[in-house]
Amino acid sequence: SFHKSKGQHILKNPLLVDSIVQKAGIKSTDVILEIGPGTGNLTKKLLEAGKEVIAVELDSRMVIQGDVLKTELPRFDICVANIPYQISSPLTFKLLFHPTSFRCAVIMYQREFAMRLVAQPGDNLYCRLSVNTQLYARVSHLLKVGKNNFRPPPKVDSSVVRIEPRKPQPQVNKKEWDGFLRVCFIRKNKTLGAIFRQKSVVLMLEKNFKTLQAVLASLNGVTGEAAVMDVGDQSMGMEDDDNEMEDDDEDMEMDEGQGGGGEFKEKVMNVLKEGGFEEKRSSKLSQQEFLYLLSLFNKSGIHFS
Ligand code: SAM
């Protein structure tokens, strides 16, 4: 019997299983990590292709029992998985921040999530998840998979995506980068000028600025907790951005407390102007542009974590 709560949708099409294994580019020397092996149909083929398969599975009736999100993962060369979709976000970042390097992960996702992962600037689905993931990895769409390839069929179609961690990994402060993107994507179609004029944003940045100044000024290091933008979630942009305003003309929304900030607001605006970012929108900015803007902020002593 299938456990719906565990996202158990078994791949019933053996040709599709073959195709995934083939596209993964497995070498005979590879240690393979499989997440959610279920009944082992994919596992069997992975064993034929690689040297060793380490499988983590929630359901105790199957292989090694454990929650992949709570399990310390071993060293592996490649990860191949038809995952339960409810763990898409945390699992992807668990893999991206895995301490030992691996060649790639080939993962089945819900179609829309997959399209968000691979979206480019200007694409409709381009969002914080796209920018965040693509900073750490090269992501490509491998295969469209209709829902009828599963038993029982899930509600939505799927896609197989290849995730190749960048080598070397980018030298960014993860918290700083995440805090920065959270602000930029408060409204992805707003101009950055409008976003960074918001009182809540200016106040948060000013608080961080003052904390840092105090720390620098004191040998004992008065370590205050940095303020981060609280936009209601702790994920790395992996949630649906459905609550994001998609239109460009909601200026009332943005007028929240424009009076605040004063001098510090000027400082923030000057950074945007210096880089020519005031009229730009996150929905169209490339990863390089985001990195550049963050570096300009940091150069002025403005931090996001
Ligand atoms: N690999 C099989 C296939 O392709 O036919 C089954 C894939 S099914 C979509 C996902 C599997 O992941 C289920 O067997 C489920 O029990 C397991 N699972 C769900 N949550 C998990 C978790 N947090 N950690 C490990 N396995 C999990």
Side-chain angles (χ1 to χ4, degrees), residues 12-161:
K12 63 175 190 186
N13 177 352
L15 292 178
L16 183 60
V17 175
D18 287 342
S19 172
I20 293 170
V21 172
Q22 193 209 329
K23 284 192 185 274
I26 296 164
K27 297 180 187 160
S28 59
T29 51
D30 277 344
V31 173
I32 307 166
L33 172 71
E34 188 189 0
I35 296 148
T39 50
N41 48 359
L42 178 58
T43 324
K44 225 166 41 198
K45 299 279 170 71
L46 293 174
L47 275 168
E48 287 166 15
K51 186 179 99 183
E52 195 181 322
V53 176
I54 303 161
V56 187
E57 167 63 59
L58 200 59
D59 193 329
S60 60
R61 298 173 301 177
M62 301 162 179
V63 208
I64 302 161
Q65 204 252 329
D67 181 334
V68 66
L69 298 180
K70 296 180 188 147
T71 305
E72 196 179 313
L73 297 176
R75 198 204 71 78
F76 62 91
D77 298 301
I78 179 165
C79 171
V80 182
N82 172 17
I83 61 166
Y85 296 146
Q86 59 263 36
I87 66 170
S88 297
S89 335
L91 176 71
T92 302
F93 279 96
K94 177 155 186 170
L95 290 176
L96 286 176
F97 299 151
H98 186 60
T100 66
S101 94
F102 59 95
R103 201 162 75 243
C104 77
V106 173
I107 300 181
M108 179 92 70
Y109 290 105
Q110 191 172 316
R111 175 77 47 82
E112 172 161 329
F113 191 91
M115 297 326 266
R116 283 180 187 274
L117 284 175
V118 303
Q120 296 296 306
D123 290 352
N124 241 348
L125 289 175
Y126 189 62
C127 60
R128 190 154 62 92
L129 169 64
S130 327
V131 187
N132 231 338
T133 313
Q134 291 171 33
L135 175 71
Y136 300 108
R138 288 171 43 193
V139 194
S140 53
H141 186 279
L142 284 188
L143 199 64
K144 287 188 171 182
V145 180
K147 47 179 164 251
N148 290 325
N149 290 290
F150 301 87
R151 196 168 39 123
K155 286 201 184 71
V156 289
D157 288 333
S158 301
S159 276
V160 179
V161 170

Side-chain angles (χ1 to χ4, degrees), residues 170-212:
Q171 296 302 302
V172 295
N173 176 329
K174 290 189 178 69
K175 277 187 143 176
E176 178 80 9
W177 170 251
D178 185 55
F180 169 65
L181 286 188
R182 273 170 198 279
V183 173
C184 293
F185 279 94
I186 285 176
R187 298 279 185 274
K188 73 174 181 183
N189 288 316
K190 276 287 151 205
T191 64
L192 290 171
I195 288 176
F196 279 90
R197 255 192 302 275
Q198 282 185 93
K199 192 172 177 183
S200 55
V201 173
V202 176
L203 286 176
M204 183 268 297
L205 294 177
E206 189 171 16
K207 185 174 170 218
N208 285 350
F209 184 80
K210 285 184 174 157
T211 304
L212 189 64

Side-chain angles (χ1 to χ4, degrees), residues 249-273:
D249 300 306
E250 292 285 333
D251 280 316
M252 299 305 292
E253 179 85 16
M254 308 298 296
D255 278 345
E256 165 233 341
Q258 291 228 346
E263 223 174 281
F264 194 80
K265 184 158 97 182
E266 280 308 300
K267 188 178 171 68
V268 173
M269 285 303 129
N270 283 338
V271 172
L272 286 181
K273 278 180 202 145

